[in-house]
Amino acid sequence: MSWSPTQRPNVVWITLDSVRQDHTSIDGYDRETTPNLQSIANRPSGVAFDTCIAAANWSLPSAASIATGTYPEYHRTGYDTDVLSENVDTVAERFRDVGYHTVGVSANHYFSEATGLDRGFEEFKEIMPSEFVSEVPARTLLEFFLKIRTHSGGFTREKTKHRPDYLVNEIVKNQLSACAESDDPFFVSAHYHGAHVPYYPPPTWQDTFESDLIESPRAASERAFRHTADLHTAIGKTEAFTEEDWNALSVMYDTLVAYSDALVGDLFDHLEALPLDDTVFVVTADHGDLLGEQGLLGHKFVLHDGLTRVPAVVHGLDALVDQSDELIQHLDIIRTLVERAGGDTDGLHGIDLQTEQRSHALSQRGPGIESALKKIWETNPDFDASDLHEEGLSAIRTDTFRFQRSNDSAELFALPDEQTDVSEDYPSKRAELSAELDRRLSEIDSPSIDTAAAADFSDDVKDQLADLGYVVD
């Protein structure tokens, strides 16, 4: 379907790192973590999808799928290469090619120039420690330091306690204000740090859910930070975690979700105040985080709903407002938006949500978890990784089942139970979903890709990634 230029919407896409759907207010969670997302979804042009399934379980492959509108099996980024192939078109290029002004803002090293995910953005700003001075206006930096207890780690030299999202939010607001001065439609995509490990909310936020804490907010935040600042060591010790440990992790994770939600509310209010018409506002997450499921913390190991089921709130697409109970993927929202923009949708893997419905969702995790497992085994040689699928893993999910398979083995889960293999109880369902997975994978014809390509991360960036729990060679 083609659209005239006057019908083409502006698009603002916000990705919050590591936010799982079942810890949000829009999913009926018992802590009020996302009142702003709920408010946006409750507006006449808003919708919060119950089941949005990410294409991958950690930042690089998921960000690449969002950036390209394709599955990891196709783009291969974060699957068996670190850099997006030039042979894979980006969503930003598709918007740019039909006259959109394209802007990218990132607080994540995996959504960056180094990985090629900046391609197609006419302006791209990386809000990293080494780029603060060059990318952030002096006034914004001053405001950040004056509010450092509200928006970062407070007065501490522990660098991983500091968070960049206030700066990201202010940069996005500035970019939106600039875009509003032009007659051209725009596509703005921003990746926030969100609830990513380590879990250490800004000091003035640490008592947000104080009534749910076993110990003081300060003690709980320090406990949660200690466990998530050295993630692989913590995973090796989870069997010995106390009630205080799990309580601190849960509450401080939720506090980070609440802080991220507050920034989204501030950004949406800013957008609403601008003289703009027909703007689509999307808020989602690249993946979630595990909080003890399968003895794990963080992400990257499995294709569990705690990692792949993420929030997805869309405001400004009236055709979607009655579809909250549909199974969707990021790729579907992307396809729908490119279609609305009049862009080229050839090669996109999603469906147009205005005219189609999805029955199955595909998620993938590449091989390469061995290095992380070795780190865990250094702490706990007896850690049982037998159900983690060291080979590449693909999963097909419906509303009620998930079937997953690697070269090692395959399992069928009757959701929400993700521990018990029910293959013997539902043999026909297992066969059906196995065949569906075969069909989906056979339809993905990956282009010629240099799988030896490695991101050119500096030593400083590698150190920062290690601080975030990634094993970087």
Side-chain angles (χ1 to χ4, degrees), residues 8-81:
R8 296 186 301 167
N10 305 308
V11 176
V12 181
W13 182 290
I14 303 300
T15 301
L16 304 175
D17 211 307
S18 305
V19 177
R20 51 190 284 172
Q21 166 77 343
D22 63 351
H23 278 244
T24 66
S25 305
I26 56 177
D27 199 53
Y29 189 51
D30 54 1
R31 294 184 188 128
E32 193 177 23
T33 53
T34 58
N36 289 288
L37 285 183
Q38 186 70 68
S39 175
I40 295 168
N42 287 345
R43 289 174 173 242
S45 293
V47 59
F49 290 94
D50 296 333
T51 311
C52 176
I53 303 300
N57 64 328
W58 67 286
S59 291
L60 181 52
S62 183
S65 285
I66 291 171
T68 64
T70 63
Y71 289 111
E73 186 84 8
Y74 181 85
H75 62 69
R76 313 299 296 184
T77 314
Y79 204 67
D80 52 15
T81 180

Side-chain angles (χ1 to χ4, degrees), residues 73-120:
E73 186 84 8
Y74 181 85
H75 62 69
R76 313 299 296 184
T77 314
Y79 204 67
D80 52 15
T81 180
D82 293 336
V83 181
L84 181 67
S85 170
E86 292 285 344
N87 294 329
V88 179
D89 294 331
T90 68
V91 173
E93 288 175 315
R94 295 173 189 266
F95 277 108
R96 184 199 61 194
D97 290 348
V98 290
Y100 275 65
H101 178 52
T102 53
V103 178
V105 184
S106 178
N108 188 299
H109 294 293
Y110 288 124
F111 178 38
S112 68
E113 180 181 2
T115 60
L117 298 188
D118 68 323
R119 183 150 43 84

Side-chain angles (χ1 to χ4, degrees), residues 91-165:
V91 173
E93 288 175 315
R94 295 173 189 266
F95 277 108
R96 184 199 61 194
D97 290 348
V98 290
Y100 275 65
H101 178 52
T102 53
V103 178
V105 184
S106 178
N108 188 299
H109 294 293
Y110 288 124
F111 178 38
S112 68
E113 180 181 2
T115 60
L117 298 188
D118 68 323
R119 183 150 43 84
F121 290 104
E122 295 164 313
E123 297 183 67
F124 194 85
K125 296 183 178 295
E126 296 183 36
I127 313 303
M128 314 296 180
S130 57
E131 283 83 28
F132 277 3
V133 174
S134 60
E135 295 290 0
V136 180
R139 180 175 179 177
T140 302
L141 277 175
L142 177 60
E143 291 173 347
F144 173 68
F145 287 121
L146 291 174
K147 301 174 181 178
I148 200 164
R149 284 180 49 80
T150 300
H151 292 293
S152 195
F155 301 103
T156 175
R157 293 184 179 181
E158 184 67 64
K159 61 182 180 180
T160 54
K161 287 183 176 179
H162 292 289
R163 309 186 76 83
D165 281 354

Side-chain angles (χ1 to χ4, degrees), residues 294-461:
Q294 295 185 238
L296 298 169
L297 299 171
H299 44 269
K300 202 171 181 181
F301 289 100
V302 294
L303 293 175
H304 186 283
D305 260 17
L307 297 181
T308 58
R309 182 170 173 257
V310 296
V313 172
V314 180
H315 180 272
L317 272 179
D318 291 342
L320 307 187
V321 297
D322 295 324
Q323 300 182 26
S324 63
D325 59 348
E326 290 186 13
L327 174 68
I328 71 161
Q329 300 204 254
H330 291 135
L331 311 185
D332 304 329
I333 304 174
I334 291 164
R335 169 64 181 264
T336 304
L337 292 172
V338 174
E339 186 82 27
R340 278 295 308 266
D344 180 11
T345 60
D346 185 47
L348 293 177
H349 290 163
I351 62 173
D352 184 351
L353 292 171
Q354 299 171 118
T355 58
E356 302 173 79
Q357 290 185 329
R358 172 180 293 280
S359 58
H360 301 80
L362 174 66
S363 297
Q364 296 187 285
R365 190 218 70 198
I369 66 170
E370 296 87 351
S371 296
L373 287 175
K374 287 178 181 178
K375 292 283 188 182
I376 297 172
W377 284 324
E378 288 174 5
T379 299
N380 179 7
D382 297 324
F383 179 80
D384 183 7
S386 59
D387 61 349
L388 297 188
H389 294 269
E390 293 188 36
E391 298 295 324
L393 179 66
S394 293
I396 200 83
R397 189 194 189 282
T398 68
D399 287 328
T400 53
F401 288 93
R402 188 177 77 248
F403 173 77
Q404 63 181 28
R405 187 179 66 209
S406 70
N407 290 335
D408 297 330
S409 59
E411 298 91 23
L412 176 69
F413 300 116
L415 302 173
D417 180 3
E418 301 188 60
Q419 288 291 313
T420 307
D421 183 358
V422 296
S423 296
E424 293 185 1
D425 299 323
Y426 300 92
S428 61
K429 178 60 67 173
R430 176 187 167 110
E432 172 197 327
L433 293 183
S434 180
E436 179 67 20
L437 181 58
D438 287 337
R439 185 184 72 81
R440 293 296 178 100
L441 295 179
S442 69
E443 292 176 347
I444 300 174
D445 185 17
S446 183
S448 176
I449 289 175
D450 178 10
T451 57
D456 186 19
F457 291 130
S458 68
D459 289 341
D460 180 54
V461 169

